[in-house]
């Protein structure tokens, strides 16, 4: 092969590589699993929701490209446990998750507590006072440490928050546990004519942050955590995070 042709081929290859995103050139791509959890994240939302925008931008600042897959929550966690995805979100902190994943720096979220019908007039100061009620939860969710450990409560597990809202309005559960903003968003979107019947109890279970969890089954757990945390810190410092968080925060 003539040296001139070799130079042309080499230059063309270099040019094509430069056209590729930095993350693709470096092989810095990770797959994160999630669920539809509006108003935080959703496949039908603009840009898949503000949480997806925050996470993508945080990783991109460190040259990492993110692919997001949507599944039912139980499958999301199962994939992470087996290392079939690189990580998942949004997760609440719980020590048991460290058996299979590491937590990122926190992202602000809404409080977790109980929704009930206004006509029920339920109020409490201690969880023991709720023994007589049937409480709707989502299978596999971390809720709040004290509540999750309260085996004396009557908890009824379903696949998602919307299912619990329907049970609440049908009188089949007395309370349901959810993020405050998720519950009100679902009411407004799916049953606006009945939204005024439901309240979020003033005594919350826990104030919350949410996290990206990176599986410890993969080789680059620490690398991806550092990349995300560095990007999120930059976004906090330059005001990007504050601009992306919705007003309900």
């Amino acid at each position: 092969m003539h040296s001139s042709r070799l130079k042309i081929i080499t230059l063309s290859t270099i040019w094509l590589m430069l056209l590729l995103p930095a993350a693709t050139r470096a092989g810095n791509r990770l797959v994160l699993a999630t669920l539809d959890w509006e108003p935080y994240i959703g496949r039908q939302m603009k840009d898949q929701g503000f949480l997806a925008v925050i996470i993508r931008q945080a990783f991109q600042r460190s040259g990492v490209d993110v692919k997001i897959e949507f599944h039912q929550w139980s499958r999301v966690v199962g994939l992470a446990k087996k290392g079939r995805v690189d990580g998942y979100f949004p997760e609440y902190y719980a020590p048991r998750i460290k058996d299979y994943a590491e937590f990122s720096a926190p992202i602000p979220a809404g409080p977790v507590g109980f929704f009930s019908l206004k006509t029920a007039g339920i109020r409490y100061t201690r969880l023991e006072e709720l023994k007589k009620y049937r409480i709707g939860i989502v299978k596999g969710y971390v809720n709040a440490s004290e509540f999750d450990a309260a085996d004396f409560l009557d908890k009824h597990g379903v696949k998602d928050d919307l299912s619990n809202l329907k049970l609440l309005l049908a009188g089949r559960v007395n309370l349901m546990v959810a993020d405050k903003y998720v519950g009100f968003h679902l009411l407004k979107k799916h049953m606006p004519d009945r939204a005024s019947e439901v309240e979020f109890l003033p005594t919350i279970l826990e104030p919350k942050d949410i996290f990206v969890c990176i599986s410890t089954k993969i080789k680059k757990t620490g690398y991806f955590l550092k990349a995300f945390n560095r990007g999120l810190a930059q976004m906090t410092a330059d005001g990007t995070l504050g601009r992306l968080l919705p007003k309900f925060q």
Side-chain angles (χ1 to χ4, degrees):
M1 183 181 291
H2 295 297
S3 60
S4 59
R5 282 189 64 193
L6 181 60
K7 287 179 180 178
I8 292 171
I9 292 171
T10 302
L11 288 171
S12 297
T13 302
I14 293 172
W15 178 247
L16 285 171
M17 288 296 291
L18 290 172
L19 289 176
L20 293 172
T24 303
R25 294 202 306 271
N28 289 345
R29 189 167 191 262
L30 82 163
V31 178
L32 297 177
T34 190
L35 77 168
D36 287 295
W37 199 54
E38 297 183 10
Y40 292 90
I41 181 83
R43 71 191 87 189
Q44 301 302 324
M45 299 182 72
K46 180 182 178 183
D47 299 321
Q48 296 182 326
F50 77 89
L51 190 54
V53 174
I54 289 171
I55 289 170
R56 284 197 173 99
Q57 286 198 24
F59 275 114
Q60 285 170 358
R61 289 185 179 218
S62 293
V64 177
D65 183 43
V66 178
K67 178 185 177 184
I68 295 176
E69 297 181 352
F70 286 84
H71 304 282
Q72 289 286 344
W73 185 247
S74 59
R75 179 164 172 76
V76 167
V77 176
L79 290 170
K81 284 182 176 179
K82 295 175 183 176
R84 294 178 61 184
V85 292
D86 300 308
Y88 72 102
F89 72 96
E91 183 60 281
Y92 293 142
Y93 181 83
R96 62 179 172 78
I97 292 169
K98 289 191 174 183
D99 291 343
Y100 58 87
E102 293 292 338
F103 289 89
S104 71
I107 301 170
V112 165
F114 294 108
F115 285 85
S116 73
L117 296 179
K118 290 179 180 179
T119 54
I122 299 173
R123 293 292 184 270
Y124 77 104
T125 55
R126 297 180 301 110
L127 289 178
E128 286 79 2
E129 298 169 34
L130 303 179
K131 287 181 180 180
K132 61 183 177 181
Y133 299 115
R134 194 176 200 208
I135 303 171
I137 62 171
V138 176
K139 294 177 182 177
Y141 273 22
V142 172
N143 295 296
S145 54
E146 184 183 4
F147 173 80
D148 289 343
D151 295 335
F152 54 84
L153 294 176
D154 182 11
K155 303 173 189 177
H156 175 70
V158 295
K159 66 178 182 178
D160 55 33
D161 292 307
L162 182 59
S163 297
N164 265 332
L165 274 175
K166 291 177 179 177
L167 291 174
L168 182 67
L169 288 167
R172 294 175 59 189
V173 296
N174 309 106
L175 296 162
M176 64 164 277
V177 178
D179 173 284
K180 178 179 181 179
Y181 303 116
V182 170
F184 282 127
H185 175 85
L186 290 172
L187 281 166
K188 182 178 178 181
K189 180 177 180 179
H190 296 282
M191 45 201 78
D193 57 323
R194 301 198 64 186
S196 62
E197 300 176 34
V198 177
E199 66 176 345
F200 185 75
L201 299 193
T203 302
I204 68 169
L205 286 171
E206 283 182 359
K208 286 292 186 179
D209 291 317
I210 50 181
F211 302 85
V212 177
C213 288
I214 303 297
S215 173
T216 52
K217 298 289 186 180
I218 67 172
K219 294 180 179 180
K220 299 172 74 174
T221 306
Y223 173 82
F224 286 132
L225 281 174
K226 289 178 181 177
F228 176 79
N229 291 347
R230 182 167 55 244
L232 189 66
Q234 292 172 0
M235 292 171 68
T236 302
D238 66 21
T240 303
L241 182 63
R243 291 192 294 272
L244 289 172
L245 289 173
K247 292 180 180 178
F248 63 65
Q249 295 284 8

